[in-house]
């Protein structure tokens, strides 16, 4: 067991166990059979008060201390489990929107929020969206950089840094103009929607390149925490996409997701919503993804039957895609 630092941010990690976990995850991603299924079990009993979102947003040292306490509790209570510790910024889903110069404020429950949309009428406002963003100097970018440096120094460069919640290109575009306006514009001015998506896809690249520069070691930058091992690709957070039709997704989401997957290697998909049949069709069109997070599907199991989950499992097996799920979210209706 290695002990990093000796003060407020002391971290206890088992490097040998971490390497075993990475090996199991790599086997799954490559379609092989590991010695056992990776099992990341977070035991109940963690007594540290979960800081409010506003506190996370405004006090990164306290946020780091909270994350370190969670890592230590995890390692102590379930040392044989599969767990690759990482630190994340805690800045929330509005991080990308802030890089376009929108005013940012902190909310008690939701953390950082923006005060306005960047785009009200796409034909007029498309030029408000630059071809690239500057994470070094705009919005929450400088705060992210500060947190990355703090996290690395405090844990002596031994704990991986996870990407901010950058979402997928469609989700970022929706943050800039709202979902209703996006869908209307997709019918009225599809060329402008594609131009918008091209620009926000560039912004995702800009953030990843900046993170690579700040971290300084590709081994320490985690692009996907679903199957975390060195060389694994990007995780896309597709939180809003389950409301779209397959044809709409194919035209406006798939091309830009694929650009990112092809540049940063295939990783996984995450959604906060259920895995409805048409959404599964959209996911498995991305030939090459290694895993999906099914937390949302498990959370809504009171509305989903055993057959629904069995169908999801069958589809994943047919497409050689692993499933990551939190069993502790199943509530009173385990499946």
């Amino acid at each position: 067991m290695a002990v990093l630092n000796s003060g407020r941010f002391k971290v206890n990690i088992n490097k040998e166990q971490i390497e075993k976990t990475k090996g199991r995850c790599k086997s799954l991603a490559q379609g092989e059979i590991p010695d056992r299924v990776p099992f990341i079990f977070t035991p109940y009993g963690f007594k540290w008060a979960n800081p409010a979102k506003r506190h996370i947003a405004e006090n990164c040292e306290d946020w780091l201390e909270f994350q370190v306490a969670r890592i230590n509790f995890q390692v102590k209570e379930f040392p044989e489990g599969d767990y690759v510790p990482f630190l994340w910024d805690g800045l929330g889903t509005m991080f990308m929107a802030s890089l376009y110069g929108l005013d940012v404020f902190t909310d008690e429950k939701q953390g950082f929020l923006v005060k306005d949309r960047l785009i009200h009428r796409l034909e007029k406002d498309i030029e408000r969206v630059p071809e690239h963003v500057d994470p070094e100097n705009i919005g929450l970018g400088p705060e992210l950089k500060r947190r990355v440096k703090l996290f690395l120094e405090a844990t002596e460069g031994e704990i991986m840094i996870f990407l901010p919640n950058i979402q997928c290109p469609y989700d970022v575009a929706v943050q800039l103009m709202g979902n209703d306006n996006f869908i209307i514009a997709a019918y009225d001015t599809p060329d402008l929607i594609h131009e918008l998506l091209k620009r926000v896809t560039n912004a995702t690249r800009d953030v990843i390149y900046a993170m690579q520069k700040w971290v300084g070691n590709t081994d320490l930058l985690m692009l996907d925490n679903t199957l975390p091992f060195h060389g694994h690709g990007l995780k896309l957070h597709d939180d809003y996409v389950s409301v779209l039709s397959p044809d709409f997704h194919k035209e406006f989401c798939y091309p830009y997701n694929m650009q990112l997957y092809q540049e940063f290697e295939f990783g996984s998909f995450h959604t906060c919503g259920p895995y409805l049949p048409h959404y599964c069709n959209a996911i498995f069109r991305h030939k090459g993804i290694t895993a999906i997070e099914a937390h949302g599907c498990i959370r809504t199991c009171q509305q989903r039957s055993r057959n629904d989950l069995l169908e999801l499992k069958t589809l994943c097996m047919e497409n050689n895609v692993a499933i990551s799920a939190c069993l502790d979210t199943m509530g009173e209706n385990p499946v």
Side-chain angles (χ1 to χ4, degrees):
M1 185 78 71
V3 178
L4 311 176
N5 209 309
S6 58
R8 182 180 180 188
F9 307 118
K10 183 176 71 174
V11 186
N12 302 307
I13 59 173
N14 187 327
K15 293 185 178 181
E16 181 180 354
Q17 186 64 22
I18 289 173
E19 292 306 312
K20 287 182 180 178
T21 292
K22 290 180 179 179
R24 292 178 182 123
C25 291
K26 186 175 183 178
S27 293
L28 281 178
Q30 295 177 343
E32 302 170 354
I33 300 177
D35 60 330
R36 65 172 171 81
V37 174
F39 185 42
I40 303 172
F41 178 69
T42 304
Y44 289 103
F46 183 56
K47 301 299 183 183
W48 192 284
N50 195 342
K53 292 294 181 63
R54 173 175 286 173
H55 193 78
I56 293 171
E58 297 177 350
N59 299 273
C60 66
E61 288 82 3
D62 289 352
W63 172 233
L64 174 57
E65 187 176 11
F66 169 73
Q67 292 187 83
V68 166
R70 289 188 65 177
I71 292 171
N72 290 336
F73 184 82
Q74 172 83 25
V75 173
K76 177 183 176 183
E77 296 299 322
F78 195 53
E80 66 273 29
D82 292 294
Y83 181 55
V84 178
F86 62 90
L87 302 168
W88 72 101
D89 57 279
L91 298 178
T93 59
M94 291 297 107
F95 172 79
M96 289 298 293
S98 80
L99 299 182
Y100 292 95
L102 293 172
D103 290 336
V104 177
F105 67 99
T106 54
D107 176 80
E108 185 65 33
K109 294 183 178 181
Q110 299 185 62
F112 281 114
L113 295 175
V114 293
K115 293 183 178 180
D116 194 9
R117 301 289 189 189
L118 184 69
I119 299 171
H120 298 280
R121 183 179 175 187
L122 188 58
E123 300 95 319
K124 181 182 68 173
D125 295 335
I126 183 64
E127 293 310 318
R128 300 183 69 189
V129 183
E131 291 280 352
H132 291 274
V133 295
D134 181 12
E136 289 270 0
N137 299 296
I138 301 296
L140 294 173
E143 176 63 18
L144 174 63
K145 180 179 180 179
R146 187 173 79 90
R147 294 187 180 208
V148 167
K149 298 296 185 182
L150 169 67
F151 294 173
L152 289 173
E153 292 172 4
T155 58
E156 300 180 1
E158 291 281 356
I159 306 298
M160 299 181 75
I161 307 296
F162 189 38
L163 287 178
N165 194 344
I166 54 179
Q167 302 286 302
C168 66
Y170 164 70
D171 287 18
V172 177
V174 166
Q175 290 174 10
L176 298 182
M177 65 183 300
N179 193 54
D180 291 348
N181 286 338
F182 182 97
I183 292 176
I184 291 170
Y187 285 100
D188 291 345
T189 55
D191 290 345
L192 289 179
I193 285 291
H194 280 291
E195 180 62 27
L196 171 63
L197 288 167
K198 183 192 79 173
R199 297 184 186 195
V200 299
T201 302
N202 287 341
T204 298
R205 294 188 178 97
D206 295 334
V207 172
I208 296 175
Y209 293 146
M211 290 280 287
Q212 290 174 339
K213 175 184 174 182
W214 298 337
V215 173
N217 181 347
T218 56
D219 289 350
L220 288 176
L221 181 60
M222 183 183 287
L223 300 184
D224 187 345
N225 66 339
T226 301
L227 293 177
F229 61 90
H230 178 60
H232 195 217
L234 179 67
K235 176 179 182 178
L236 287 179
H237 291 75
D238 231 349
D239 283 340
Y240 305 143
V241 78
S242 58
V243 303
L244 302 179
S245 71
D247 289 342
F248 194 102
H249 186 280
K250 182 179 180 180
E251 181 176 358
F252 294 105
C253 302
Y254 172 80
Y256 305 97
N257 291 347
M258 287 297 293
Q259 287 180 25
L260 293 171
Y261 276 141
Q262 289 166 354
E263 184 163 353
F264 298 103
E265 307 298 334
F266 282 92
S268 68
F269 258 90
H270 161 87
T271 184
C272 287
Y275 282 91
L276 302 172
H278 72 265
Y279 182 51
C280 290
N281 293 336
I283 289 176
F284 296 126
R285 186 178 287 118
H286 301 75
K287 300 299 182 183
I289 61 169
T290 58
I292 61 170
E293 281 190 342
H295 307 337
C297 185
I298 298 295
R299 286 194 193 101
T300 57
C301 64
Q302 291 183 348
Q303 289 80 42
R304 315 299 292 172
S305 69
R306 285 174 178 265
N307 288 337
D308 291 329
L309 298 180
L310 178 60
E311 181 181 8
L312 175 62
K313 176 183 175 182
T314 301
L315 286 169
C316 286
M317 292 178 66
E318 290 174 349
N319 288 275
N320 200 27
V321 173
I323 301 177
S324 170
C326 291
L327 299 181
D328 63 339
T329 63
M330 290 169 57
E332 299 178 356
N333 187 27
V335 289

